[in-house]
Amino acid sequence: MSFIIDGKTIAATIKDELRQEVELLKAQGKSCALAVIQVGNDPASSVYVRNKKNACNYIGITSLSYELPEETTEEELLACIDQLNEDPNVHGILCQLPLPRHMDENKVIRRISPKKDVDGFHPENVGALTIGQEGFVSCTPAGIIQLLKRSNIPMEGKHCVVVGRSNIVGKPMALLMLQENATVTVCHSRTQNLKEICKEADILIVAIGKPQFINEEYVKDGAVVIDVGIHRMEDGHLCGDVDFESVSPKASAITPVPGGVGPMTICMLMHNCVEAMKRFS
């Protein structure tokens, strides 16, 4: 049976570390604040926002909530972001996605100051990652690196296959693995011989948005499998992009869903908030 990578425990450890760091900073008269903007009342977004607020409360970060109605205009949202960009007491700005259809997500992401872009979505931060300079990194890929490091799973010299090329997970994940000196292959919907390529992976990272798509036929014996997906099935249970039951006997280590990658995303958002305060306060 494979080693189960426990994202809940690792995330809790990191949050405790951040909590201690924030306490020390407060003793020096420094405080940290995150502004969370939500437009509309999408149920899934509301859950994510609530979880982020709870994490802020635990760590000691001030959480500023901006709950805007669905009919808010793009201009009004951009004006809100401008105000927060100028506020020296706000260190991080997060605009919960997806936005209503009448808003241009790219324009909104670009409007957030790169210095306060704790989601790591701004082109300037993405560019910094590409050339190995300091910036904020997208939280899910950053969390996966921490899962691997804190589980003592070596990356240097390993063949990492990333399935998915999204701007939020796939592309930054590939760049981070390159920084760890892995050899990286990125696969996507147009990839030919996907099964054969995946079976070459020492580390297989799956972020394709298809429930239980990757089964044991895609995984070589002893591979490390990281499942980024999360889906609620008709019977109500949660699953990932990987068929856990068939893959886990072959893998040397694997993340479960839930309780694997998911807890790390908010954890790394909190890390970015603290970093923003330390860099620019």
Side-chain angles (χ1 to χ4, degrees), residues 166-210:
S166 72
N167 292 334
I168 293 175
V169 178
K171 291 175 185 175
M173 189 75 252
L175 290 166
L176 286 173
M177 292 302 292
L178 285 172
Q179 286 186 4
E180 298 297 330
N181 297 314
T183 299
V184 181
T185 301
V186 179
C187 298
H188 46 79
S189 59
R190 303 297 177 88
T191 297
Q192 298 182 13
N193 304 319
L194 177 64
K195 190 176 295 185
E196 289 74 15
I197 295 171
C198 288
K199 288 193 76 168
E200 296 175 357
D202 301 310
I203 302 173
L204 180 61
I205 301 174
V206 186
I208 53 174
K210 295 183 178 180

Side-chain angles (χ1 to χ4, degrees), residues 1 15 23 26 43 67 73 181-182 208 216 222-223 260 266 271:
M1 186 66 183
K15 284 195 280 190
E23 287 177 357
K26 284 184 176 178
E67 297 173 356
T73 66
N181 297 314
I208 53 174
E216 76 280 6
I266 291 178
H271 167 81

Side-chain angles (χ1 to χ4, degrees), residues 127-179:
L129 173 62
T130 303
I131 59 176
Q133 293 186 355
E134 184 180 83
F136 293 114
V137 178
S138 185
C139 299
T140 299
I144 290 169
I145 294 294
Q146 286 298 312
L147 283 179
L148 294 169
K149 285 184 174 180
R150 291 174 184 249
S151 299
N152 297 313
I153 295 171
M155 291 171 271
E156 183 169 343
K158 301 298 182 180
H159 183 196
C160 173
V161 174
V162 179
V163 187
R165 54 177 171 180
S166 72
N167 292 334
I168 293 175
V169 178
K171 291 175 185 175
M173 189 75 252
L175 290 166
L176 286 173
M177 292 302 292
L178 285 172
Q179 286 186 4

Side-chain angles (χ1 to χ4, degrees), residues 93-108:
I93 302 171
L94 182 154
C95 192
Q96 184 65 40
L97 304 178
L99 291 170
R101 291 184 179 180
H102 65 276
M103 294 183 176
D104 182 343
E105 285 189 0
N106 286 326
K107 185 185 290 186
V108 171

Side-chain angles (χ1 to χ4, degrees), residues 81 85 105-114 121-123:
I81 292 171
N85 281 337
E105 285 189 0
N106 286 326
K107 185 185 290 186
V108 171
I109 288 169
R110 288 172 178 270
R111 196 63 160 253
I112 296 172
S113 167
F121 294 165
H122 192 283

